Amino acid sequence: MVIDLTEDSDSESQIKSQLNHSIESATPNFFSSLSYRKSPANLKRKPERSLEDISPKRSSETPSVAPHVASNRHQNKNLNGYAAFAASRKLQYSTYSTPSPSPAVREQLQAVSVVVPSPSRQLKKEIESAEWVTGSRPSTPELTGLSEKYYPTDAYENRARKGTYPAARKISHGGTSLSIGTPGPILLKRPDVHNQLCQTLKRKLSMIKGPSVRFAIADGPRLAHVTDNFEFINSYKLGKGVSPANPDFIGGCSCGEYCDPDRCPCLDKEQDSTDTIIPYQNAQDGADVLVLKPDFLKRTTMIYECGAKCGCDINCWNRVVQRGRTVRLEIFHTGNRGFGLRSLDYIRAGQFIDCYLGEVITKEKADRREELALKRGHSYLFGLDFSPDVDEDDIYVVDGERFGSATRFMNHSCNPNCRMFTVTHTIGDERLYDLAFFSLENIQPGTELTFDYNPGAEINKKVDPSAVSCLCGEDNCRGQLWPNQRKGTK
C-alpha cells in the first residue's frame, strides 16, 4: 500500500489524514500477530523482604532454577546471600526477550511506504534564494572579496563621513527678535558653585584680625565671584624690589610705660616752633576711645606713633593704629557704584577705622599696572609719595587689587565722611608707612563710608570725556575722579 503525498499542495491536514488512515488499517494485524512468552509465575516480583528472608536456603523451599543458574551460584560462592540472589534474578530476566514480528507482519509493514511531499511555493522561494546566496546555481557567480554588498570597499569612508561635523546651516537673523532683559548673576544658575564660593569668602573674612568683617547676605554670591582671586591680608605684602626698614635706623622713646605727650621725642614738632603736635585725645563720650583732635583733622601732616624700639607699652595712648581696628565692617553692593563699605557700629568723629593694605611694589612696576588699570576703568594703586625727601622715581606704591583689606571697597565721594592719613611708627624709613582711614564726623550705623580719591582737586565745570566719571551724586560733585592719573596725584 502506497500513500501518495507527491501532489503540490500547501495543505498539511490532507497529508496527515491520509497517513493516519494507512497506519490505522495496518496496525490491528500487526499487533495481533505479535506473541510474547509469558514469564513463569515464580519470577513475579515479590514484596521486599529482609536480608534473612531472601538469603538462599538448603531446604526444599529454594526455587528451581535453570542448571546454568545453579552452576553460577556455585561459582559465586564467595558472594554473600543477598548479592548472589540479586545476580540470579538479573540472569533470569536476561534470558527472556521480545520476539521479532512474524513474516506476515513484515510483509504488511513493507507494503506501507511514505513519500516525502514536494516543497510548497514559499519553500521553493526560500530554496532559490538560498541557492543564489551560496552560489550553487550555474547562472549565479560565486561570491568573492569584490562583492560590494557583503564586502564593501568604502566602509572606512562611510564611517569617517558619519563622524564629521554637520555642515553649517545658513540662518537668516534678520527676522529674529532679540529680547533684552536684566540677566541675573551667572552663579545663581549653579547653586553648588556659588555656595562653595560663599563658604570660601566667609573663611577668608574670618582670617582678618579684629572685629568681624562680613558681607550682606543678598550680595554674597556676587561678592564671592568678585573676590575669587582676592586675598584678605592683615599687613603689607612686600613685593619684589621692596625692602623693609633697616632696624639699625629705627629709633624710639624712653618715656616708660606711658608716654608724656609734652616730652615724647616720637611726636612731631610744629613748624618754626618747639611745641609738640599731639594728634590723639580721649573721646568726649568715652574715655576708653581715642580719637584725632578736631584741629588735627584739618591738617595734612603725618601722624607719628611710638614704635617697636620705644619703651612704652602697646596700650600707650600713642599707639592707636598699631592696636588695629575697633569697629565692625560690612561689604555690600551699592548698585551703580559697585560694592561699598559700611559699619554696624556708631563711629565718632576722628575715630580710627582701618588701614588700606595691599601689595607694596616699586614705581616702575606700578606704572605698568597703571596702564592696564586705566583700560579697565578702575585702579587700586596708592603712591607712598608723602615725604618730600624721597625722589619720585624711588617711591613705593600700594596695589590693593589682588591683596588688601575691607577698605578696598570704600567708594569715592566729593563730600566724604572719612579721610586717609599717613601714619608711621618706624622712624628712620620715610618710604614705607601706613595709610589709615579716620572719620571726619559722627557716622551712624549702616552709613556708607566714603573718602576722596583725589583730595584737593578743584571743581572744573568742563569734564574731560576720557576721565573716569564720578557717580557720588553730591551737590559739589566734580564730575570726574581724575583725568589719567593715579589716585592721590595731581
Side-chain angles (χ1 to χ4, degrees):
M1 179 180 62
V2 179
I3 299 174
D4 188 9
L5 300 178
T6 59
E7 294 180 1
D8 188 6
S9 176
D10 294 337
S11 175
E12 296 180 359
S13 61
Q14 182 178 1
I15 298 173
K16 291 181 179 181
S17 62
Q18 293 178 3
L19 181 60
N20 294 335
H21 178 70
S22 301
I23 294 174
E24 290 176 359
S25 61
T27 301
N29 297 329
F30 170 72
F31 288 102
S32 62
S33 62
L34 295 178
S35 62
Y36 295 91
R37 294 181 182 183
K38 297 181 179 180
S39 302
N42 58 356
L43 294 180
K44 293 182 180 179
R45 187 180 298 276
K46 296 181 180 181
E48 296 180 358
R49 295 176 295 177
S50 63
L51 294 176
E52 296 178 357
D53 296 338
I54 65 177
S55 61
K57 299 180 180 180
R58 297 180 180 181
S59 62
S60 59
E61 296 179 359
T62 303
S64 59
V65 296
H68 61 274
V69 175
S71 63
N72 188 23
R73 284 185 176 182
H74 291 290
Q75 294 174 3
N76 296 286
K77 59 184 179 180
N78 294 330
L79 300 175
N80 55 21
Y82 179 77
F85 178 74
S88 64
R89 292 294 297 269
K90 180 178 181 182
L91 182 59
Q92 293 176 18
Y93 280 108
S94 64
T95 58
Y96 299 96
S97 61
T98 303
S100 301
S102 62
V105 176
R106 287 198 298 269
E107 292 178 359
Q108 292 181 4
L109 290 175
Q110 292 176 0
V112 179
S113 62
V114 179
V115 180
V116 178
S118 61
S120 62
R121 288 188 295 270
Q122 179 65 24
L123 185 59
K124 288 181 180 180
K125 294 179 180 180
E126 295 179 358
I127 293 174
E128 291 178 357
S129 62
E131 291 177 352
W132 185 87
V133 172
T134 56
S136 61
R137 297 175 61 181
S139 60
T140 304
E142 294 184 0
L143 297 177
T144 62
L146 299 178
S147 177
E148 293 294 335
K149 181 177 181 181
Y150 298 98
Y151 302 95
T153 58
D154 58 346
Y156 291 102
E157 289 77 1
N158 294 335
R159 186 181 303 175
R161 192 179 301 109
K162 292 180 180 179
T164 57
Y165 291 101
R169 296 181 301 173
K170 294 183 179 181
I171 301 175
S172 178
H173 297 280
T176 304
S177 59
L178 179 62
S179 58
I180 301 176
T182 303
I186 299 177
L187 294 175
L188 295 179
K189 299 180 181 180
R190 295 285 305 276
D192 55 339
V193 174
H194 83 253
N195 287 337
Q196 183 178 2
L197 291 177
C198 288
Q199 294 299 326
T200 303
L201 177 59
K202 290 181 180 179
R203 179 182 57 82
K204 291 180 180 179
L205 295 177
S206 64
M207 302 300 293
I208 301 177
K209 296 180 180 179
S212 64
V213 178
R214 69 179 192 180
F215 56 86
I217 301 301
D219 303 330
R222 189 179 304 179
L223 180 62
H225 179 67
V226 172
T227 59
D228 186 20
N229 296 326
F230 182 81
E231 181 179 349
F232 290 91
I233 55 180
N234 294 292
S235 60
Y236 281 143
K237 181 179 179 62
L238 302 183
K240 186 177 180 180
V242 178
S243 58
N246 191 345
D248 297 336
F249 294 96
I250 298 177
C253 66
S254 58
C255 297
E257 185 177 359
Y258 298 100
C259 294
D260 186 355
D262 295 329
R263 295 180 298 176
C264 182
C266 296
L267 300 178
D268 195 13
K269 303 293 183 179
E270 293 283 359
Q271 187 176 4
D272 300 332
S273 176
T274 58
D275 297 337
T276 303
I277 301 177
I278 303 175
Y280 301 118
Q281 69 176 12
N282 293 328
Q284 296 180 357
D285 57 346
D288 57 338
V289 179
L290 292 172
V291 296
L292 289 177
K293 289 184 176 182
D295 62 330
F296 198 92
L297 290 174
K298 301 177 182 180
R299 292 175 178 264
T300 58
T301 184
M302 178 179 287
I303 300 175
Y304 292 89
E305 291 188 351
C306 296
K309 294 291 186 178
C310 295
C312 57
D313 189 72
I314 188 64
N315 295 321
C316 176
W317 64 270
N318 198 26
R319 292 175 180 261
V320 175
V321 175
Q322 296 175 61
R323 285 199 295 266
R325 176 172 47 87
T326 59
V327 296
R328 296 175 297 169
L329 299 176
E330 183 181 59
I331 305 172
F332 70 103
H333 198 269
T334 61
N336 61 338
R337 292 179 294 112
F339 285 97
L341 187 68
R342 60 192 176 192
S343 177
L344 304 177
D345 302 325
Y346 173 75
I347 300 177
R348 300 168 180 83
Q351 186 174 350
F352 169 65
I353 298 175
D354 202 355
C355 288
Y356 187 88
L357 301 177
E359 181 184 8
V360 182
I361 58 178
T362 61
K363 185 178 182 300
E364 180 181 1
K365 183 178 295 185
D367 292 339
R368 294 194 297 266
R369 295 186 182 184
E370 182 73 9
E371 295 178 359
L372 299 176
L374 293 176
K375 294 179 181 180
R376 294 191 300 264
H378 57 269
S379 174
Y380 299 95
L381 298 170
F382 282 87
L384 302 179
D385 53 357
F386 181 81
S387 176
D389 298 333
V390 179
D391 189 72
E392 184 179 358
D393 295 334
D394 296 335
I395 65 172
Y396 294 150
V397 180
V398 180
D399 187 4
E401 182 174 2
R402 296 295 179 86
F403 303 92
S405 61
T407 56
R408 172 188 185 269
F409 300 97
M410 288 183 66
N411 283 322
H412 163 82
S413 177
C414 295
N415 186 22
N417 53 14
C418 299
R419 179 185 166 189
M420 177 184 290
F421 287 83
T422 57
V423 181
T424 181
H425 47 82
T426 55
I427 301 175
D429 188 354
E430 299 179 349
R431 296 188 302 171
L432 195 61
Y433 47 84
D434 294 333
L435 301 175
F437 291 100
F438 288 84
S439 60
L440 297 176
E441 58 188 24
N442 296 331
I443 303 175
Q444 298 297 326
T447 305
E448 182 181 2
L449 304 178
T450 59
F451 74 105
D452 195 343
Y453 285 2
N454 191 11
E458 299 179 357
I459 300 177
N460 190 357
K461 296 182 179 180
K462 186 177 180 180
V463 179
D464 187 355
S466 62
V468 180
S469 300
C470 178
L471 303 175
C472 68
E474 297 290 342
D475 296 337
N476 61 338
C477 180
R478 297 190 293 266
Q480 63 182 20
L481 297 181
W482 58 88
N484 283 315
Q485 297 175 352
R486 186 179 296 112
K487 297 177 183 179
T489 60
K490 296 181 180 181

